[in-house]
Amino acid sequence: TLAAIRSAKVALKGPTTTPSGGGHVSANVQMRRKLDLYAAIRPIRSVPGVPTPYRDVDFVIVRENTEGLYAGLEHEVSRGVVVSMKVVSEAATRRLAKAAFAYARAHKRKKVTVVHKANILKLGDGLFRRLVFEEAAAHPDIPCDEVLVDALCMRLVRDPCQFDVLVLENLYGDIVSDLGAGLVGGLGIVPGANIGDHAAVFEAVHGAAPDIAGKGLANPTALLKSAVLMLEHLKEHAAAKRLGDAVDEVLGAGKVRTGDLGGKASTAEFTQAVVAAVTGK
């Protein structure tokens, strides 16, 4: 799989299952690390026709994707005592910060917010915070502020429209991505991109659901929207717009929805409706 992605330089992948508390290492984490997909881009946007307590949500999570606590450096120092090491490096943080400001400029975003817990983790999160602000100094036309990760969660559920581009280390970005998905309708509709200098992998934010495999219950929206991000990355902008508009048209009409959005449509029925919207048939 890694060889195929290195050759093609781009991939659209489905979710994989990682066992909890034992078993094999996360395939997603290994893929991101081995392909050096250091920036996870996760747009959180309100979807037409999907009712939520919030309107006009539109912010983007830029998550460090290769280190932090997900570096997986754990050991048992004595019986019943486990140490998990959080890795924050200058090289990884600088390139993430550059990617965040490059994204903000390319997509005409108005503000970048660095998210951290540097009041407690003064060295690791302190380094992350300082390096993002150093990159911000090279982009004086793009305002940059900061927020503690716990305060961010509170502020998001009060008013998610106050944020634009969020820059976070790995674990914080993972958690806030799921929180963000909940603000706009759930994990079934949020896409994701994992970007590196030599390859890019696109995937839905949600994980696997083996308990419903083959039952036609899954919502394919997140994967379809991830395909839209992939087409945009490939500069196939017309195709990206066509597919994105088709998904929004079906959801906006409200007649064909999967169970997670309050409907009764199967995965295949929803997909067929999107195909009809794309082809105009």
Side-chain angles (χ1 to χ4, degrees), residues 66 174 184 226 262:
T66 62
D174 192 9
V184 295
S226 298

Side-chain angles (χ1 to χ4, degrees), residues 178-266:
D178 281 18
L179 189 158
L183 301 176
V184 295
L187 290 169
I189 61 176
V190 177
N194 302 284
I195 308 295
D197 292 334
H198 305 291
V201 175
F202 299 83
E203 60 181 345
V205 170
H206 61 71
D211 56 319
I212 62 169
K215 297 180 180 179
L217 299 176
N219 184 349
T221 298
L223 194 59
L224 290 168
K225 285 185 171 286
S226 298
V228 171
L229 295 182
M230 181 181 70
L231 291 168
E232 291 174 347
H233 177 77
L234 294 170
K235 301 190 185 306
E236 295 286 349
H237 298 297
K241 187 176 188 309
R242 192 174 176 186
L243 177 56
D245 288 351
V247 175
D248 287 347
E249 178 184 328
V250 173
L251 290 173
K255 296 179 181 179
V256 183
R257 290 184 182 174
T258 49
D260 59 310
L261 298 180
K264 297 182 179 180
S266 67

Side-chain angles (χ1 to χ4, degrees), residues 2 25-36 70:
L2 292 173
V25 177
S26 166
N28 281 337
V29 171
Q30 291 286 358
M31 182 177 297
R32 293 164 188 165
R33 191 175 302 152
K34 290 181 180 298
L35 295 172
D36 206 19
Y70 287 7

Side-chain angles (χ1 to χ4, degrees), residues 34-176:
K34 290 181 180 298
L35 295 172
D36 206 19
L37 306 174
Y38 57 85
I41 310 294
R42 296 181 169 183
I44 308 293
R45 296 190 181 103
S46 296
V47 177
V50 177
T52 70
Y54 308 96
R55 297 179 62 184
D56 302 322
V57 178
D58 183 7
F59 65 90
V60 180
I61 291 168
V62 181
R63 164 191 170 190
E64 203 291 317
N65 224 9
T66 62
E67 51 181 35
L69 276 170
Y70 287 7
L73 300 176
E74 296 186 307
H75 63 280
E76 189 170 7
V77 294
S78 63
R79 184 176 179 82
V81 180
V82 172
V83 172
S84 300
M85 298 178 66
K86 176 176 175 176
V87 179
V88 180
S89 70
E90 180 174 350
T93 304
R94 282 197 186 280
R95 67 182 181 178
L96 179 75
K98 288 181 183 294
F101 281 93
Y103 183 96
R105 186 174 302 282
H107 292 83
K108 296 180 172 57
R109 311 298 297 204
K110 296 180 179 179
K111 183 178 68 171
V112 172
T113 300
V114 55
V115 182
H116 59 81
K117 194 65 178 172
N119 60 328
I120 304 298
L121 301 171
K122 298 182 184 297
L123 292 180
D125 281 30
L127 177 65
F128 187 90
R129 172 190 178 276
R130 175 173 63 81
L131 293 173
V132 175
F133 274 118
E134 285 183 6
E135 181 63 25
H139 305 272
D141 57 318
I142 303 175
C144 182
D145 62 3
E146 61 183 306
V147 62
L148 297 177
V149 64
D150 46 348
L152 171 72
C153 294
M154 182 272 292
R155 290 175 62 184
L156 279 173
V157 298
R158 291 188 67 183
D159 177 15
C161 297
Q162 63 187 293
F163 295 104
D164 198 346
V165 176
L166 301 174
V167 185
L168 310 92
E169 64 91 34
N170 208 338
L171 177 61
Y172 302 157
D174 192 9
I175 294 169
V176 173

